[in-house]
Every structure is written in C-alpha cells, then in structure tokens.
Amino acid sequence: AGLTCTIVTAILLLVCCTELVQPLSCTSAANCTNEVIANPSQFVSCVNNTCVCNSCFQSDTGMCTVARCYSYNIAGDTCSSTAQKWLAALVISILLGGTGAANFYIGRYEFAIPQLVLFCFIMILPCIICVLYCCTGCDCGDVARVCGLVVNFILALILLILNLCLASWWVADAVIFILNERQDGNGCVLAR
C-alpha cells in the first residue's frame, strides 16, 4: 500500500506540477515571435501550424526569441554569435596564460583574478629574496647570515612550488582552450 501511494503521488506531481512547453499554434511566421524580424522565413517559420525556430532563435515558451548567445540585427537582417572567438582565446592562453589574460578576454573573472594575483606574487617574491640575500651579505655575524640563508632557502622553495602550480594551471588552461571546453562569461561556447 505504501509503495502504491508513493507511485501515485509521484505521477500526480509529474502531471500537475510539471510545466509543459507546448508548441505555439500558428498560421504564419508572424505568429511565432513578438520580435520584429525583417525576413521571418529566414529565422522563424510556421510549418504545419507549428512554430519552428531556426539559426539564432530558440523556443522556450513555444514562441521564438533570440537565443542567449546570439544577437539579431534587423537593419542587416543578420544573426551573429555574441560568444568570444575561440582562436583568439587560445592564442592569448598560450602566450599570456600565466597572467590569466585569456580568462579576462572571455569574461571568466573567477579564474582570471586568482591567476593574475598568483602571477604578480611570483614576480614580486624574487625581489624579496634578493633584498633579503643582500641584507645577509653584510657583516652582521654568523647567526644572522645563517638565519638569512635559511629564510632565503624557504622563500626559494615556496617560489618553486608556486611556479609549478602556475605552470600546471597554464598548461591545464591551454588544454581546456584547445579542446574548447571553457564557456565565456555569459555561458556561451567559444565561437570557432
């Protein structure tokens, strides 16, 4: 009895609470969208009394609207992708990958900012090591010199680890861009 009740409840929830998108009934392409389209038959059409969305239009509610990663220009009657260019992102990733420039280019700031901060830290740390090393070169006594050398060794080790992390991140990003597996900041696949 408990299993039957559970199954009936699940079926009722599916039937009653699921919003079904029905195709919009139409007599012409003009019935399929509330947007002004210069040449409706090119992007939106009415086939067998059902709206059909083509190219950069999509149907979420039965009515054709411009898809998320596209823009429609009524003056030129053209549809174009708003996604960033894949090749540009790939080249930037390979040449400037450690700086996060490719992720800035595609609008993925959650990756770009940590990469830039890590890159800047790695560039500043050697300067700190040089200053500390120069300070330990004076005649401050053996204890200060040994202590300075230990600090320099630890900082150099940290720098090595950070460089390996950044290099790994750079290679991983390059592979992700080569495979075109990263979407831009708007969630669009990069345009080839």
Side-chain angles (χ1 to χ4, degrees):
L3 180 61
T4 305
C5 185
T6 305
I7 293 172
V8 169
T9 304
I11 291 171
L12 286 175
L13 283 173
L14 284 173
V15 171
C16 296
C17 302
T18 304
E19 188 178 316
L20 299 174
V21 176
Q22 297 293 325
L24 189 65
S25 178
C26 60
T27 55
S28 73
N31 300 127
C32 295
T33 183
N34 56 10
E35 300 187 41
V36 179
I37 302 173
N39 182 8
S41 64
Q42 181 178 346
F43 299 110
V44 176
S45 56
C46 181
V47 178
N48 298 329
N49 296 332
T50 304
C51 293
V52 178
C53 310
N54 301 318
S55 194
C56 68
F57 285 79
Q58 68 182 11
S59 175
D60 290 333
T61 60
M63 184 165 279
C64 297
T65 57
V66 176
R68 178 174 48 127
C69 299
Y70 292 89
S71 66
Y72 174 73
N73 178 349
I74 189 169
D77 191 29
T78 58
C79 186
S80 60
S81 172
T82 58
Q84 298 296 337
K85 302 295 183 225
W86 168 78
L87 185 59
L90 176 61
V91 170
I92 293 170
S93 173
I94 291 170
L95 296 178
L96 301 170
T99 64
N103 287 310
F104 275 112
Y105 169 71
I106 65 170
R108 295 298 299 265
Y109 304 112
E110 68 274 18
F111 296 118
I113 292 171
Q115 278 181 307
L116 183 61
V117 168
L118 184 60
F119 180 79
C120 289
F121 185 71
I122 288 174
M123 292 297 118
I124 293 171
L125 194 58
C127 297
I128 294 170
I129 291 173
C130 286
V131 168
L132 289 175
Y133 185 75
C134 291
C135 288
T136 59
C138 66
D139 285 332
C140 303
D142 290 337
V143 174
R145 192 179 335 249
V146 170
C147 184
L149 290 174
V150 169
V151 169
N152 283 335
F153 176 77
I154 291 170
L155 288 175
L157 191 60
I158 291 170
L159 182 63
L160 176 67
I161 292 168
L162 289 176
N163 271 305
L164 289 174
C165 290
L166 187 62
S168 299
W169 197 348
W170 186 2
V171 169
D173 257 3
V175 169
I176 288 169
F177 280 110
I178 288 169
L179 298 174
N180 200 12
E181 292 291 323
R182 180 154 299 154
Q183 297 174 343
D184 70 10
N186 296 321
C188 302
V189 175
L190 301 180
R192 288 210 180 233

